[in-house]
Amino acid sequence: LFPVAILGLYALVGPRRFGIFLAPLVGIGWGFALHALAARWRSSFESRRRVADAVAYLTAIGGAALLLGHSGFGVSLKPSVGVPLIASLQRLAQTLPPRPALFANWGQGYLLSDVTGAATLNDGEAPDPLVHYLFARAIASPDPRELQQIVSVLSTYGRSELHAALDDRPDPQAAVDALLRRSAATDGNVALVLMEGDLIPFPIFFRTGGWDFASESGPIDGFRTSHCNRIGKYALRCANSAGSRFEVDLRKGRLSGGTRLRRVLEIRDGVVVRETEHAPGASRSLELIPGEPPGSFTAYLVSERVFQSNFNQLYVLGRFDPALFEEIHLTPSVMRAFRILAHEQGGVSNAQ
């Protein structure tokens, strides 16, 4: 049982999914260790049987008491899904079109279906790598029409047709490009759902969506998040989770150390209320979202490619082409949803 005990202990420090399945082995490992210890004590007290039995029971009780504070009885975990998100999804359900299908990160598939009653284009139970790639490509792309076309393709063709067009092709990049040039349509019943939780895995989406099949690599980039406090009318002092600190001169559009900013934007309630252009050739922009207490901000330092991505333009900045999208729900800093407007010809959603 020693390997079992090691696996159980690893569940305490390993990935969450690992712990979900192997955390009970921690108890098995501790139980076996206590049993072996009690048995050894018992053999040493064989001449005094009653004392040995008492020691064994006390050891078991003491071990249980020691672990109680780390068990499901002693630890109250925070809900994995926050109340604001649940409430936001409940409001979204009231604004969805007839026969709705949701296009979102597959990891939220169960949550979306359960709360809204809508179908999803990528089921949480059986995620499809191809649909996951197309979702990543859609939100990482700087072209909103490509996002609309990807939704149209997913709405028009079934999974078997999609895989037949791509599987075992000698040139995957050419096959994907050909797939996205196909005639496709959507009925306007598909909604793109973007959440605050998508910010953390965005580097994965960005890398996957920009994947180069020839070189078997993708770009590495994302949102560099910091928390800032105003230290003057035109200055901020910021720090990120890694402990790095810097200051921002808002008047000059410059970070401490001399790094120039391309632009600085302030976003309130999901809308850009102030945008100042600084150095057109600079590689980074700063997006500021006011928080509490007054004078504090959540700051996103982004490259130009991330700035132009559909995810940033839609979710963070709230900028979109009304000929392509209709915003049907907004809970600032929690979730946004956009209906993909229909093409002239009809289509049928193949949500799973």
Side-chain angles (χ1 to χ4, degrees), residues 143-146 148 320-326 339-342:
D143 185 359
R145 292 189 178 277
E146 183 174 22
Q148 184 191 50
F320 58 94
D321 184 346
L324 303 178
F325 310 110
E326 175 193 6
R339 184 171 71 92
I340 313 301
L341 298 183

Side-chain angles (χ1 to χ4, degrees), residues 198-207 219-225 283-285 287 299-307 309 311-312:
D198 294 331
L199 286 165
I200 296 176
F202 182 80
I204 299 175
F205 298 143
F206 193 75
R207 180 175 172 81
I220 299 176
D221 208 343
F223 291 81
R224 301 184 181 182
T225 306
S283 62
R284 300 279 173 183
S285 295
E287 301 170 344
Y300 300 134
L301 188 63
V302 297
S303 68
E304 187 62 14
R305 289 187 63 180
V306 172
F307 179 84
S309 69
F311 179 85
N312 185 65

Side-chain angles (χ1 to χ4, degrees), residues 117-186:
T120 58
L121 290 174
N122 202 11
D123 199 325
E125 178 182 5
D128 189 322
L130 173 55
V131 183
H132 177 70
Y133 163 73
L134 291 175
F135 172 76
R137 178 162 174 162
I139 67 172
S141 171
D143 185 359
R145 292 189 178 277
E146 183 174 22
L147 191 160
Q148 184 191 50
Q149 179 64 9
I150 287 173
V151 170
S152 298
V153 167
L154 291 172
S155 299
T156 303
Y157 302 100
R159 296 290 178 85
S160 58
E161 291 179 272
L162 293 174
H163 282 278
L166 298 178
D167 290 351
D168 301 321
R169 298 290 175 170
D171 188 343
Q173 189 69 60
V176 170
D177 293 342
L179 175 65
L180 297 183
R181 288 195 299 268
R182 286 189 177 189
S183 176
T186 175

Side-chain angles (χ1 to χ4, degrees), residues 35-77:
H35 172 75
L37 182 61
R40 176 173 298 181
W41 284 350
R42 180 169 182 168
S43 63
S44 65
F45 288 106
E46 194 62 39
S47 59
R48 291 176 287 179
R49 186 63 176 268
R50 292 183 179 180
V51 175
D53 288 341
V55 169
Y57 287 126
L58 288 174
T59 301
I61 294 172
L66 179 65
L67 295 174
L68 186 61
H70 302 280
S71 69
F73 296 100
V75 178
S76 179
L77 299 177

Side-chain angles (χ1 to χ4, degrees), residues 70-131:
H70 302 280
S71 69
F73 296 100
V75 178
S76 179
L77 299 177
K78 293 182 179 179
S80 59
V81 180
V83 173
L85 178 56
I86 294 294
S88 184
L89 288 171
Q90 290 173 336
R91 292 192 294 271
L92 170 63
Q94 301 172 6
T95 63
L96 290 174
R99 300 184 302 105
L102 304 180
F103 190 38
N105 177 12
W106 74 267
Q108 304 292 347
Y110 279 138
L111 174 65
L112 295 174
S113 295
D114 184 61
V115 178
T116 66
T120 58
L121 290 174
N122 202 11
D123 199 325
E125 178 182 5
D128 189 322
L130 173 55
V131 183

